[in-house]
Amino acid sequence: MDAPVRRSRASKPKVRTGCLTCKARRIKCDEGKPECKRCKIGGRKCDGYLPAQEGMLAIVPKQLIGVPAVTLPGESRALEFFFHRSAPLLAGFFEGAFWNGSVLQLSLAEPAIRQAIAAIGSVHEEQGLKRLEDSNVSSAGPQTAVQLYNRAIRLVIARANVDPNAIPAVTMASILFTCFEFLRGNAPAAASHITSGVRLLQEWRDKTGTQPVGPWGQSHKSFESQFMETELAPILSLFNLNTCEFGPGQRSRVILNAVDEHGFLVLADKFEDLREARVALVDLVTSTSVLFSNMDESVGKGQLPDTNLVTVFSGMRNNLDRWKANFENLVDRKGATWDKAQRSAADNIRIMWCSTEIGIISYTVGTETAWDAHRDSFEQTLRLSESLISDTDRYPDDLSKTLSLDLGLIFPLHAVAWKCRWPRLRRRGLDLLLRSPKREWLLEAERYHALFTRVMEFEESALSVPFIDTPDADEEDFLPPEHARIHDFYCQPLPNTTSRTGNKYTLHAVTFETKPDGPHGEPRYHTECIRMPTTTSQIVGKGDQGDVEVIAPLTNLLSIKQWAKPELTDMQTASLLKGVVFGLD
């Protein structure tokens, strides 16, 4: 019998000239022009094509290509760890094209980028091993990470000094350096790199005349400008916002959508994809934060808002309402076609919106029990958080929860654990804090869990009968009274109280503020020591012996600006200003 003829599949060269959208989605493109049919059929915006013979190498100055690499011991291992574990983690829901694509491509040509990502992989593995207490696996070590990091910085500085065209590559390096410092807990250094990246973005816009003139996502004059505005700028914007709000960052801000002559954001009439909606929301929160800071400055000088500022605040509220309507319209139009990853990304945006609403509510409530009117917001926050945290594809193990730079769960969950009186909802919020990514930016979920567990215990101690979660327990019978509620807290780590064996714990002196005589009565204070887990210390500077590390105090993430506090202005002024901003009587 003749042997069966083995058929071979026809071999065709791999096409690498598809549109940018299909490349990001890693699917075959039909290469239709000016936009491909695959994008049209899927209802997606086709981002067009790269110029011939160009790609990520277009942003690399010619003298950077081919620079010989100097490999340190452990660098290869750190690179492998970065691409398999760190990049997917840092990409989050929206920045896969950058972390899984552009960074890889540029690292093949630019040693500084390669060494920066190796430094991230090395320090990430080290942090993960410390958390998991896995003594059987060794990483490249912190010394290698710092060597790689310092070498990358020196290379980038040298190139920036001799080549003005290296702005995109140097901006990418600023983002990588920021992530390295976030992982190390070095708040000042992270803020400095973000400030540098924002300055480079503005310098690029000024140099090329590419200031935003319309809604984000517009066409760009060159691949470099498209790369700067669609890949780098959204990351810088989110980094900058979170560092300014929850850390020691500078107050310079970056806006991706255009701003009209009245100071209003120019948003699209309708969103075409989730990333566009997310960028718009980050812009809105950023611009609102700037307005609130300006208001604080005016009130500090004894000035009430002028007519122009009233108009600007009115426009801010209108833009928030418009964003919500546009997002709901996007979900109605395209939600049925989304895959699991896109549905999760939409939930992430909803969590961001919940956080925005919670931030606004914190200005409008007059008493702690007034939060009761927002139970629906608490329940939605818990429902969305549960869905995101339970995704085993995204979080297959504890290492995948080492750090999140876009999830944003600590803020809304800590609000549920603190401000919600319903015992079952509070306990769900505390449980989700423990199950969420352990760190976001410079915030540690486990520490907030420890603090607000104690807040709940303190408030519920005023009940005549302790709450026991049984099927027949009526939550209405176990709501802490107003006089027992914690209005504010002040937290300070105690020196020389950190455990050095196993998990690290530090004693914190926490002062709780209550108002037993009513919301306008004199506050009373009670201080106690609380043992909190501390997985990372925070580097605050340099000393004679090297890095100076401290345990950063927990901060009140719901702290409102001075202009809205009656005790810092007066009742009439605070009411007037909140009426201007939020339309309250």
Side-chain angles (χ1 to χ4, degrees):
M1 179 181 293
D2 295 336
V5 177
R6 184 183 299 273
R7 295 186 178 184
S8 60
R9 180 177 296 176
S11 175
K12 295 181 180 180
K14 191 170 184 178
V15 177
R16 302 183 183 274
T17 54
C19 76
L20 293 170
T21 304
C22 289
K23 278 178 174 290
R25 297 179 62 219
R26 298 184 180 182
I27 63 173
K28 181 174 176 59
C29 179
D30 61 73
E31 301 189 50
K33 295 181 180 177
E35 53 183 348
C36 76
K37 294 179 182 177
R38 187 176 285 274
C39 287
K40 280 184 178 180
I41 293 172
R44 293 178 175 83
K45 179 182 177 183
C46 182
D47 288 328
Y49 303 84
L50 297 182
Q53 304 301 319
E54 289 191 11
M56 281 303 304
L57 296 184
I59 72 167
V60 185
K62 297 305 180 194
Q63 64 265 40
L64 292 185
I65 299 177
V67 176
V70 179
T71 303
L72 289 174
E75 182 177 346
S76 296
R77 174 193 176 91
L79 285 168
E80 183 178 1
F81 189 90
F82 174 86
F83 287 116
H84 285 290
R85 303 307 300 267
S86 306
L89 179 74
L90 295 169
F93 293 95
F94 298 96
E95 307 304 342
F98 176 79
W99 291 104
N100 298 319
S102 300
V103 169
L104 170 60
Q105 293 180 48
L106 191 53
S107 72
L108 299 175
E110 170 50 62
I113 300 300
R114 183 171 63 254
Q115 289 166 0
I117 62 178
I120 292 173
S122 181
V123 75
H124 181 202
E125 184 176 21
E126 183 74 16
Q127 292 282 347
L129 292 177
K130 284 181 180 178
R131 181 176 294 280
L132 298 174
E133 299 181 330
D134 188 347
S135 58
N136 296 321
V137 182
S138 60
S139 65
Q143 185 176 4
T144 296
V146 173
Q147 288 178 318
L148 288 164
Y149 173 64
N150 289 337
R151 182 174 290 176
I153 288 178
R154 287 194 296 271
L155 281 171
V156 167
I157 290 174
R159 296 303 180 188
N161 287 337
V162 300
D163 188 356
N165 296 320
I167 289 178
V170 176
T171 307
M172 174 189 276
S174 294
I175 291 174
L176 299 176
F177 297 154
T178 300
C179 291
F180 178 84
E181 296 294 6
F182 271 135
L183 281 163
R184 295 178 71 208
N186 191 336
S192 175
H193 287 309
I194 294 171
T195 300
S196 231
V198 171
R199 177 183 54 77
L200 285 166
L201 174 63
Q202 189 56 56
E203 184 180 328
W204 175 267
R205 287 174 171 178
D206 293 341
K207 176 183 176 180
T208 58
T210 54
Q211 296 287 349
V213 295
W216 181 81
Q218 59 192 311
S219 59
H220 299 282
K221 297 179 180 179
S222 65
F223 170 72
E224 294 94 327
S225 287
Q226 180 172 342
F227 177 67
M228 288 288 288
E229 294 292 342
T230 63
E231 289 200 31
L232 302 186
I235 297 174
L236 285 172
S237 176
L238 190 65
F239 281 12
N240 198 39
L241 173 63
N242 280 277
T243 305
C244 287
E245 291 303 301
F246 303 136
Q250 300 297 317
R251 284 290 162 181
S252 59
R253 305 299 177 101
V254 57
I255 300 292
L256 275 60
N257 290 274
V259 178
D260 67 17
E261 65 274 15
H262 303 295
F264 301 149
L265 286 173
V266 180
L267 300 181
D269 292 333
K270 63 179 181 180
F271 299 136
E272 295 300 330
D273 57 47
L274 290 166
R275 200 156 179 259
E276 184 181 353
R278 186 221 197 190
V279 165
L281 183 54
V282 172
D283 268 3
L284 284 170
V285 176
T286 298
S287 59
T288 300
S289 179
V290 171
L291 289 175
F292 281 9
S293 295
N294 291 341
M295 180 77 88
D296 248 15
E297 184 177 345
S298 296
V299 170
K301 297 176 181 178
Q303 303 170 351
L304 292 180
D306 57 27
T307 304
N308 179 61
L309 197 54
V310 172
T311 303
V312 170
F313 273 118
S314 175
M316 175 202 78
R317 181 68 258 182
N318 289 339
N319 262 342
L320 286 170
D321 293 339
R322 182 181 168 199
W323 180 93
K324 186 176 182 181
N326 283 358
F327 179 73
E328 291 173 348
N329 175 263
L330 172 64
V331 174
D332 290 341
R333 287 186 290 117
K334 299 188 177 182
T337 67
W338 290 339
D339 58 21
K340 179 184 176 182
Q342 289 170 309
R343 291 194 298 271
S344 294
D347 283 347
N348 177 244
I349 293 176
R350 291 186 180 99
I351 279 285
M352 290 180 64
W353 178 253
C354 286
S355 296
T356 303
E357 288 190 316
I358 287 171
I360 292 173
I361 291 168
S362 67
Y363 282 82
T364 62
V365 293
T367 64
E368 288 300 300
T369 51
W371 285 91
D372 293 358
H374 304 285
R375 177 166 181 161
D376 287 348
S377 294
F378 293 142
E379 290 180 333
Q380 183 183 21
T381 295
L382 294 173
R383 184 169 59 252
L384 292 170
S385 300
E386 175 70 42
S387 173
L388 292 169
I389 293 170
S390 300
D391 185 351
T392 54
D393 291 335
R394 183 167 291 275
Y395 302 114
D397 52 33
D398 284 345
L399 185 62
S400 62
K401 294 184 177 181
T402 306
L403 174 71
S404 172
L405 297 183
D406 78 346
L407 196 55
L409 290 179
I410 291 180
F411 177 82
L413 287 176
H414 108 291
V416 175
W418 182 7
K419 299 301 182 181
C420 177
R421 290 200 300 163
W422 285 278
R424 291 193 181 96
L425 296 185
R426 290 185 93 164
R427 285 161 174 78
R428 281 180 61 195
L430 288 167
D431 175 64
L432 288 170
L433 269 176
L434 274 187
R435 293 166 51 199
S436 66
K438 304 308 179 186
R439 282 183 55 211
E440 291 175 359
W441 315 101
L442 298 168
L443 308 178
E444 293 192 47
E446 291 173 335
R447 298 172 70 198
Y448 281 97
H449 173 271
L451 175 63
F452 291 110
T453 295
R454 180 60 191 133
V455 167
M456 180 182 69
E457 293 170 351
F458 184 93
E459 293 186 352
E460 291 186 355
S461 68
L463 300 173
S464 57
V465 179
F467 173 73
I468 300 176
D469 193 1
T470 59
D472 59 342
D474 186 351
E475 286 189 290
E476 293 287 344
D477 297 332
F478 299 96
L479 303 183
E482 175 71 32
H483 68 81
R485 300 300 303 277
I486 301 296
H487 286 247
D488 206 346
F489 65 88
Y490 311 91
C491 179
Q492 186 61 45
L494 297 177
N496 303 318
T497 64
T498 302
S499 167
R500 296 296 178 183
T501 58
N503 289 329
K504 293 173 64 176
Y505 291 87
T506 304
L507 284 179
H508 290 66
V510 182
T511 299
F512 296 116
E513 177 186 314
T514 59
K515 295 186 178 180
D517 299 324
H520 307 307
E522 287 296 318
R524 296 188 189 178
Y525 301 96
H526 163 72
T527 302
E528 58 184 75
C529 290
I530 299 178
R531 188 168 174 258
M532 296 185 190
T534 305
T535 55
T536 59
S537 54
Q538 183 169 306
I539 300 172
V540 295
K542 291 284 187 182
D544 295 337
Q545 306 301 319
D547 291 335
V548 176
E549 298 187 34
V550 299
I551 305 302
L554 269 70
T555 56
N556 178 354
L557 304 181
L558 282 172
S559 179
I560 63 176
K561 300 293 184 182
Q562 295 188 21
W563 59 265
K565 296 181 179 180
E567 63 268 27
L568 297 177
T569 53
D570 58 69
M571 189 66 66
Q572 183 177 1
T573 302
S575 297
L576 171 63
L577 297 181
K578 285 194 279 190
V580 168
V581 178
F582 303 112
L584 303 174
D585 295 330

